[in-house]
Amino acid sequence: MIRKNRGITLISLSIAVIILLIITGMIVYSAKDSMYIKNLTNMQNDIANLRDKVSLYYLKYGNIPVKTEYEDISNLQNGNILGVNDTGKFYIIELEKLEGLTLNYGEDYERYKTNGYTYSPDLTDIYIINEDSHNIFYVEGISITENNETKMYYTDYTEGDTQPIELKVVEGDNV
C-alpha cells in the first residue's frame, strides 16, 4: 500500500492565518497605547526638569528666565487646564539660561532663538511659564485617545488650581 503525503488542509491553513491576524492586531493595539504613554511621560519628565531648573534659577537670580511674552494661550484656556493662580502673562522659557537641561520636546525654541521671533503663536512646540504661578505648560500638548475619546495634556497635572494661594512675605533675621 502506497501512502500519499497530502500536506495541510485549506481549513487548517485558514485557521492559522486568522490566529496570526488576531495576535498581530493585539500587538499593534498594545504598541499604540504604549506610544501614547511614552509621549505623555516624556512631556511630564520635561516639565519636571524645567520646574527644577527654573526654581534653581529663581532662587539664584530672583526672577524667572523669560524675555518674550507668549500671547496665544487659547488652547490652554479651551482645555480648562488653567487654574485660579495662573493669572498674569505667559512667557517663553529662555532655555539657554538653564544649565544642564535636556528635553524631549520644545524644538521650536531653536527657531525662536535663531530667528528672533516676535510673533510667538507661530511657535507651538515650545514650553511656556506663567509669571504668577510659575506653572509650566507645553503649548502643543500631547494627544491621547482612550476608548474613542481624545484627551489633550498640556502640563503634568490634569486640573488647574481651584483655590487661590496667598503668599505672605515676612521679614526677619533669617530672611
Side-chain angles (χ1 to χ4, degrees), residues 39-137:
N39 291 343
L40 181 60
T41 303
N42 284 343
M43 182 200 67
Q44 291 172 339
N45 289 339
D46 281 358
I47 290 175
N49 289 337
L50 280 168
R51 185 177 293 116
D52 290 343
K53 297 293 182 179
V54 167
S55 294
L56 290 172
Y57 186 92
Y58 187 78
L59 286 173
K60 187 173 184 180
Y61 298 106
N63 56 20
I64 55 177
V66 298
K67 178 172 61 176
T68 305
E69 182 180 355
Y70 194 90
E71 298 171 359
D72 184 19
I73 58 164
S74 58
N75 57 344
L76 301 177
Q77 292 168 333
N78 294 339
N80 293 325
I81 196 68
L82 299 179
V84 296
N85 295 310
D86 294 320
T87 58
K89 298 177 182 177
F90 289 81
Y91 291 94
I92 296 173
I93 299 173
E94 299 289 326
L95 300 177
E96 76 267 1
K97 293 181 179 179
L98 305 174
E99 299 174 4
L101 184 65
T102 304
L103 298 175
N104 296 298
Y105 299 108
E107 298 282 325
D108 279 352
Y109 182 76
E110 288 300 318
R111 286 190 329 157
Y112 159 75
K113 187 172 74 171
T114 56
N115 297 333
Y117 270 84
T118 55
Y119 186 67
S120 57
D122 290 341
L123 308 169
T124 57
D125 185 12
I126 199 160
Y127 288 98
I128 61 174
I129 188 169
N130 180 266
E131 69 179 339
D132 294 335
S133 66
H134 294 191
N135 287 334
I136 298 171
F137 301 91

